[in-house]
Amino acid sequence: MTTPRILVTGGAGFIGSHYTRALLRHPAARVTVLDKLTYAGNRDNLRPVSGHRGFRFVRGDIRDVAVVDRLVAESDQIVHFAAESHVDRSIADGRGFTETNVLGTQILLGAARRHGVRRFVHISTDEVYGSIASGAAKETAPLRPSSPYAASKAASDLMALAYHRTYALDVRVTRCSNNYGTHQHPEKLIPRFVTNLLRGRTVPLFGDGGHVRDWLHVEDHVRGIELVRTQGAPGEIYNIGGGRPLTNKELTGRLLESCGYGWDMVDHARDREGHDRRYAVDDGKIRATLGYRTARDFTTALEETVRWYRDHPHWWKPLTEVGVR
Ligand code: NAD
């Protein structure tokens, strides 16, 4: 069997770049990254694979029908990460979220159908389920997104599944919990807190800090996506969890400790509008059917993440100086 030509959208971002680097550990891999390089995309994330003979980078927009058409025609499979991904930005202005996440996804799906792409893995999120008071959401749970970001992801997730039902396109959807690890933009909670603390600045904790998030190391997530791409079934949805639920307050305590600070470095901020109290996914399906297991120990991996930010100020400092909140 020849190695599939894989188109990775959003491959210069946080998760997409981890995924691309993992794919290209295989000398025979053939990967094209399509990325617009918004404020969240960073070519530097792909430097380690720039010399791989099977790698190609194309700067472009998933809403650009001509570019998408050309690249999709040359691809066997698509793994779709590209998105506007920051909840706070979507609360400030949701338009770009609808345009990229919903319209951009539909443009990709349309091209995939026209060109007979054999597999389309759509990266969705646990935020589509909304706040879960107790228990954990299975893949069959209703979608109740709260933020404009989550609503745009729910729309794109359903659009992807519609292309499976209507056109029998081989679409597989993953819904993962909060990722953490190296190369994450400093606007997101963990890197934001760490980079603030590394500069001796305070960190903002929303509301009472009792919001619960399940933390998934990006490398475990990448392994889960690969299981879905290579062994999953068409039309199926797979939750991918980290098995590490923590309140934001508990997480803050750990980050303060890692950076050598106390609670006097915490500013209590007004809660975010529509802030979901708790996310929790039941990932029993991917465990039972594809043998998914998390491999990274949270304490060790969090320490490693903090160390990476400490050792790579040249990576994140420019990103904190462009008016990011
Ligand atoms: P990110 O913001 O770090 O990266 C997004 C990438 O997409 C960037 O490289 C950006 O340049 C690119 N992009 C944005 N708009 C584009 C467009 N119109 N055309 C082409 N490229 C464009 O995001 P991330 O955290 O790596 O998330 C990747 C995916 O995973 C997203 O779909 C997100 O919704 C989903 N997800 C993320 C998390 C998380 O914790 N980070 C959790 C659940 C789901």
Side-chain angles (χ1 to χ4, degrees):
M1 204 177 72
T2 55
T3 319
R5 297 164 301 170
I6 303 178
L7 177 63
V8 177
T9 71
F14 165 46
I15 307 172
S17 67
H18 274 272
Y19 181 74
T20 301
R21 293 194 302 273
L23 281 181
L24 289 166
R25 273 191 220 118
H26 301 281
R30 293 187 291 171
V31 179
T32 296
V33 164
L34 170 61
D35 197 298
K36 188 183 171 196
L37 296 181
T38 66
Y39 77 95
N42 191 336
R43 271 306 296 268
D44 206 44
N45 294 347
L46 296 169
R47 187 167 302 161
V49 293
S50 58
H52 191 296
R53 53 196 281 273
F55 174 67
R56 174 171 60 148
F57 180 83
V58 177
R59 183 171 191 178
D61 194 317
I62 57 167
R63 294 167 300 170
D64 183 333
V65 177
V67 171
V68 165
D69 209 62
R70 176 170 62 82
L71 297 182
V72 170
E74 299 165 358
S75 305
D76 301 309
Q77 302 184 2
I78 299 174
V79 184
H80 175 37
F81 294 92
E84 288 294 339
S85 69
H86 191 42
V87 174
D88 288 344
R89 287 180 188 265
S90 83
I91 292 170
D93 183 3
R95 181 173 172 146
F97 288 73
T98 310
E99 289 177 352
T100 286
N101 301 0
V102 187
L103 180 60
T105 299
Q106 190 275 323
I107 287 171
L108 278 169
L109 288 162
R113 179 187 163 227
R114 276 195 304 284
H115 293 290
V117 159
R118 297 207 302 267
R119 209 162 285 179
F120 190 112
V121 182
H122 176 75
I123 310 302
S124 187
T125 167
D126 64 353
E127 297 199 29
V128 299
Y129 298 119
S131 203
I132 308 287
S134 61
K138 286 193 194 303
E139 290 81 353
T140 48
L143 305 193
R144 292 203 176 96
S146 299
S147 67
Y149 160 70
S152 70
K153 290 296 290 184
S156 59
D157 173 321
L158 294 177
M159 186 67 76
L161 292 168
Y163 268 70
H164 171 70
R165 292 201 198 98
T166 307
Y167 307 111
L169 186 67
D170 178 340
V171 168
R172 301 151 190 217
V173 171
T174 62
R175 295 177 183 156
C176 66
S177 50
N178 273 32
N179 282 225
Y180 71 101
T182 66
H183 300 84
Q184 187 172 29
H185 194 282
E187 69 183 356
K188 302 285 167 55
L189 197 154
I190 290 180
R192 183 174 180 193
F193 278 29
V194 171
T195 58
N196 274 16
L197 292 170
L198 290 176
R199 286 176 296 170
R201 299 185 186 171
T202 58
V203 297
L205 186 61
F206 282 128
D208 64 359
H211 302 83
V212 178
R213 298 292 180 265
D214 170 40
W215 291 96
L216 167 65
H217 192 266
V218 63
E219 288 166 9
D220 284 328
H221 185 200
V222 162
R223 269 191 291 278
I225 295 168
E226 267 306 85
L227 284 172
V228 170
R229 183 182 71 82
T230 57
Q231 296 168 47
E236 293 297 320
I237 304 163
Y238 298 91
N239 287 341
I240 305 179
R244 203 60 169 87
L246 285 178
T247 63
N248 285 348
K249 200 168 176 182
E250 288 167 331
L251 178 65
T252 302
R254 284 177 175 258
L255 295 174
L256 288 170
E257 199 179 315
S258 292
C259 296
Y261 284 107
W263 284 93
D264 54 321
M265 290 298 276
V266 176
D267 285 333
H268 292 276
R270 191 172 62 84
D271 205 358
R272 168 194 268 175
E273 294 89 337
H275 202 180
D276 287 330
R277 192 71 184 163
R278 176 173 176 270
Y279 295 135
V281 287
D282 178 335
D283 63 6
K285 175 174 168 179
I286 191 172
R287 288 177 182 274
T289 60
L290 305 182
Y292 168 74
R293 300 282 178 273
T294 51
R296 297 308 313 269
D297 168 67
F298 180 76
T299 303
T300 313
L302 190 67
E303 284 301 326
E304 180 188 291
T305 303
V306 172
R307 208 165 36 246
W308 187 85
Y309 283 94
R310 184 173 282 134
D311 294 345
H312 294 80
H314 58 280
W315 186 91
W316 57 263
K317 274 204 169 143
L319 306 177
T320 58
E321 284 157 13
V322 288
V324 172
R325 289 207 292 144

